[in-house]
């Protein structure tokens, strides 16, 4: 499986951005897609990664894309049947999707990015700085969106590890829980059937539950932000308002919560940054932990996809929807970095260090946690160690490989389905994606647990909790 060619590509592959994900996905693309190095060009704002491009004989263009120049820079490289792989920051995804549509090129990104300032501009209201608003702006490019229309060259949005891979984990987890009760059940074939399955199984909430235990031989220093993946990307999304898909079972709307007055209305946001919003969650190896409610696109798309409306998908009355959000415990040095960042009133440290070669051990335990099924909580996901990541591919750590494997799978899927228009992960063939990713995910497991957020909560201090329903967000959030 580590040397299989999944598809053939004859066009030009343009990689925009070449940080840890761009460098990490390059060897996977060359390994699993039948294309040559001279078909690939890297366009990036900085020299970082030049040595990796040179190692593989890839053309490297050091040019920052801006509102003013992006079309002039990219036009010579993009034509009918070419592919733009966007793994950059501070370059508008919507602008690049529109360009690819005009040129007849395929497209994939790992998150929907705005132009600089779109995440943090204090002149913009929090709703406009949200991933919810960014998602709506991308989906608005679909022709006849309200009537389900979608056409044109395929543009896969938000297909990294999360958002991306975790949407496929959710479907497999739902099937596992269903099979546990009825071995004869078959996989749903459309959105409505998936949503009704989640409702029937009693899923009230879904956590993207991740614990990164990778450690470095070099300790974090004061004034330094350390992380196992893009520091600029983490800072940007951690500075956005905390966002979560808001479930129909919820009885306690947060005092600092706000609803959007446009779009699907599948999600809400909080008037505080995600990197300053702790929540309780659980993974099989870590057990109970405190994570950060970092805003991510999957919190919205999964909740929206699994919505059941009376009268069908176009109905006005929402009957069922799960709460969905990220619960992220990054590596310990990143936690220290966030603590220092918050203490400096969210001004990013001047020195940044991406942990890669200096990592000495640890795993990234990334999965989805289904809350509410009668048997308990169910976690399904990847346990990938740094040793395994280094064994199967170069230029990756455990965190980046979970992303780059999903990018590879998304690129393959787009080449195989070139006329699908704008596509979210939830709308793709989950089995195909997981088959491509699995050799790079380490141990992929599903585990039942008996954890609830109420366990031991009053052992030291009494709290105002909802004991009738442990899966209320009120019980999950730490205030």
């Amino acid at each position: 499986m580590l040397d299989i060619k999944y598809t053939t590509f004859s066009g030009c592959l343009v990689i925009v951005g070449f940080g840890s994900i761009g460098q990490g996905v390059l060897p996977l693309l060359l390994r699993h897609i039948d294309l040559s190095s001279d078909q690939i060009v890297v366009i990036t704002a900085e020299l970082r990664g030049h040595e990796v491009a040179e190692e593989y004989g890839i053309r490297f263009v050091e040019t920052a894309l801006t509102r003013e120049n992006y079309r002039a820079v990219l036009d010579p490289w993009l034509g009918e049947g070419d592919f733009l792989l966007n793994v950059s920051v501070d370059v508008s995804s919507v602008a690049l999707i529109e360009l690819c549509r005009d040129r007849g090129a395929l497209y994939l990104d790992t998150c929907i990015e705005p132009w600089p300032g779109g995440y943090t501009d204090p002149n913009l209201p929090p709703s406009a700085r949200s991933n919810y608003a960014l998602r709506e702006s991308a989906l608005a490019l679909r022709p006849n969106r309200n009537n389900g229309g979608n056409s044109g060259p395929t543009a896969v949005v938000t297909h990294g590890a999360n958002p991306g891979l975790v949407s496929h984990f959710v479907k497999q987890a739902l099937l596992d829980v269903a099979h546990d009760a009825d071995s004869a059940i078959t996989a749903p074939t459309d959105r409505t059937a998936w949503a009704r399955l989640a409702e029937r199984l009693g899923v009230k909430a879904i956590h993207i539950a991740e614990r990164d235990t990778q450690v470095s031989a070099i300790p974090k220093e004061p004034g330094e932000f350390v992380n196992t993946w893009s520091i600029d990307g983490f800072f940007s999304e951690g500075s956005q308002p905390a966002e979560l898909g808001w479930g129909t079972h919820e009885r306690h709307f947060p005092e600092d919560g706000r609803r959007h007055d446009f779009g699907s209305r599948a999600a809400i946001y909080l008037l505080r940054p995600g990197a300053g919003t702790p929540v309780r969650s659980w993974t099989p190896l870590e057990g109970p932990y405190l994570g950060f409610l970092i805003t991510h696109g999957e919190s919205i798309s999964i909740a929206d996809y699994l919505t059941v409306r009376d009268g069908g998908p176009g109905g006005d009355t929402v009957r069922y929807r799960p709460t969905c959000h990220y619960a992220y415990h990054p590596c310990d040095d990143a936690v220290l970095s966030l603590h220092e960042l918050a203490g400096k009133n969210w001004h990013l440290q001047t020195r940044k260090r991406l942990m890669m070669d200096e990592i000495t051990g640890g795993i990234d335990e990334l999965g989805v946690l289904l809350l509410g099924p009668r048997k308990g909580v169910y976690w399904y996901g990847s346990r990938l160690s740094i040793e395994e990541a280094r064994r199967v591919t170069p230029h990756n750590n455990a965190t980046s490989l979970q992303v780059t494997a999903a990018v590879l799978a998304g690129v393959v899927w787009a080449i195989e389905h070139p006329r699908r228009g704008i596509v979210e992960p939830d709308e793709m063939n989950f089995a195909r994606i997981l088959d491509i990713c699995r050799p790079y995910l380490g141990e992929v497991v599903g585990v039942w647990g008996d954890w609830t957020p109420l366990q031991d909560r009053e052992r030291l201090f009494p709290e105002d909790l909802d004991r009738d329903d442990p899966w209320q967000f009120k019980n999950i959030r730490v205030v």
Side-chain angles (χ1 to χ4, degrees):
M1 296 297 287
L2 293 181
D3 58 1
I4 187 172
K5 294 289 186 184
Y6 290 109
T7 191
T8 299
F9 183 68
S10 59
C12 178
L13 174 61
V14 182
I15 302 177
V16 176
F18 206 58
S20 60
I21 303 307
Q23 294 172 50
V25 77
L26 179 61
L28 298 182
L29 295 171
L30 290 168
R31 180 183 294 175
H32 293 293
I33 299 176
D34 187 7
L35 80 167
S36 61
S37 297
D38 58 11
Q39 292 174 245
I40 304 174
V41 59
V42 168
I43 300 175
T44 183
E46 54 188 25
L47 191 61
R48 183 163 60 103
H50 180 266
E51 299 85 357
V52 174
E54 191 173 66
E55 175 186 346
Y56 292 94
I58 305 299
R59 185 190 298 265
F60 187 93
V61 179
E62 186 185 357
T63 300
L65 298 184
T66 67
R67 294 174 188 264
E68 294 74 27
N69 75 0
Y70 76 96
R71 281 187 173 263
V73 173
L74 293 173
D75 266 342
W77 304 103
L78 286 177
E80 188 78 27
D82 293 329
F83 203 122
L84 193 158
L85 173 55
N86 178 18
V87 286
S88 67
V89 295
D90 287 339
V91 179
S92 167
S93 298
V94 168
L96 296 185
I97 293 169
E98 290 179 314
L99 173 61
C100 286
R101 184 177 60 187
D102 294 345
R103 304 289 290 170
L106 306 177
Y107 174 89
L108 182 141
D109 62 35
T110 57
C111 68
I112 302 173
E113 282 278 326
W115 289 115
Y119 287 139
T120 57
D121 186 349
N123 296 313
L124 294 175
S127 179
R129 294 191 288 110
S130 66
N131 271 330
Y132 180 96
L134 288 169
R135 176 178 183 253
E136 290 293 326
S137 69
L139 296 183
L141 298 178
R142 288 177 168 175
N144 303 315
R145 175 186 172 187
N146 293 334
N147 296 320
N150 197 13
S151 62
T154 297
V156 178
V157 294
T158 67
H159 204 275
N162 53 314
L165 178 62
V166 294
S167 289
H168 310 298
F169 282 170
V170 166
K171 288 183 176 179
Q172 186 60 62
L174 289 172
L175 280 182
D176 288 355
V177 173
H179 284 148
D180 197 68
D182 179 4
S183 59
I185 195 168
T186 58
T189 57
D190 60 30
R191 174 178 183 164
T192 299
W194 281 109
R196 288 177 175 169
L197 176 61
E199 179 186 33
R200 188 165 71 251
L201 295 175
V203 176
K204 293 187 175 182
I206 299 172
H207 289 183
I208 314 306
E210 179 178 6
R211 174 60 165 115
D212 182 352
T213 64
Q214 292 172 98
V215 294
S216 167
I218 307 171
K220 172 192 152 23
E221 295 183 356
E224 180 184 46
F225 198 113
V226 180
N227 197 20
T228 55
W229 59 281
S230 172
I231 291 161
D232 291 326
F234 191 20
F235 170 69
S236 294
E237 65 185 30
S239 301
Q240 286 179 270
E243 295 181 76
L244 61 158
W246 191 246
T248 47
H249 76 290
E250 299 287 2
R251 300 193 287 243
H252 311 278
F253 195 79
E255 290 185 6
D256 59 348
R258 298 293 184 272
R259 301 183 190 272
H260 299 279
D261 60 4
F262 61 96
S264 69
R265 294 175 171 81
I268 67 170
Y269 63 96
L270 307 179
L271 295 177
R272 61 182 300 112
T277 307
V279 288
R280 300 180 187 277
S281 194
W282 180 90
T283 65
L285 295 181
E286 177 67 19
Y289 71 94
L290 294 186
F292 297 103
L293 201 161
I294 304 292
T295 178
H296 262 198
E298 77 272 12
S299 301
I300 305 153
S301 70
I302 292 172
D304 191 12
Y305 189 82
L306 295 180
T307 295
V308 177
R309 296 179 184 272
D310 288 334
D316 293 331
T317 303
V318 173
R319 188 178 78 211
Y320 165 79
R321 176 185 292 138
T323 293
C324 184
H325 62 79
Y326 198 11
Y328 181 36
H329 192 308
C331 72
D332 291 351
D333 276 349
V335 173
L336 291 174
S337 300
L338 284 176
H339 184 68
E340 184 180 52
L341 172 68
K344 303 298 182 184
N345 292 319
W346 306 99
H347 291 288
L348 184 60
Q349 291 92 324
T350 56
R351 289 183 292 118
K352 310 168 190 176
R353 175 161 54 90
L354 180 71
M355 290 168 54
M356 190 65 70
D357 294 339
E358 71 268 30
I359 295 174
T360 57
I363 69 168
D364 203 320
E365 188 181 19
L366 167 66
V368 297
L369 184 69
L370 305 189
L371 313 176
R374 185 176 304 173
K375 188 174 176 179
V377 295
Y378 186 75
W379 186 94
Y380 182 89
S382 160
R383 298 166 171 170
L384 180 59
S385 70
I386 183 61
E387 293 82 8
E388 175 66 6
R390 287 170 174 162
R391 183 186 72 82
V392 294
T393 190
H395 307 301
N396 279 278
N397 59 33
T399 304
S400 70
L401 185 53
Q402 290 167 331
V403 179
T404 57
V407 172
L408 165 69
V411 169
V412 170
W413 189 92
I415 294 171
E416 293 173 340
H417 304 84
R419 299 295 299 177
R420 293 292 184 89
I422 295 172
V423 180
E424 293 189 288
D426 315 272
E427 300 165 321
M428 300 163 71
N429 183 329
F430 81 100
R432 174 62 168 162
I433 297 297
L434 291 180
D435 282 347
I436 296 171
C437 292
R438 195 169 280 111
Y440 295 105
L441 298 180
E443 185 183 16
V444 179
V445 297
V447 179
W448 286 99
D450 61 1
W451 173 82
T452 84
L454 298 180
Q455 288 177 350
D456 292 329
R457 289 288 288 275
E458 292 189 339
R459 185 166 57 87
L460 297 178
F461 303 101
E463 296 185 66
D464 180 20
L465 302 172
D466 187 331
R467 293 165 184 80
D468 295 329
D469 181 5
W471 312 122
Q472 294 288 310
F473 180 65
K474 175 180 181 178
N475 296 335
I476 299 290
R477 185 180 181 183
V478 179
V479 294

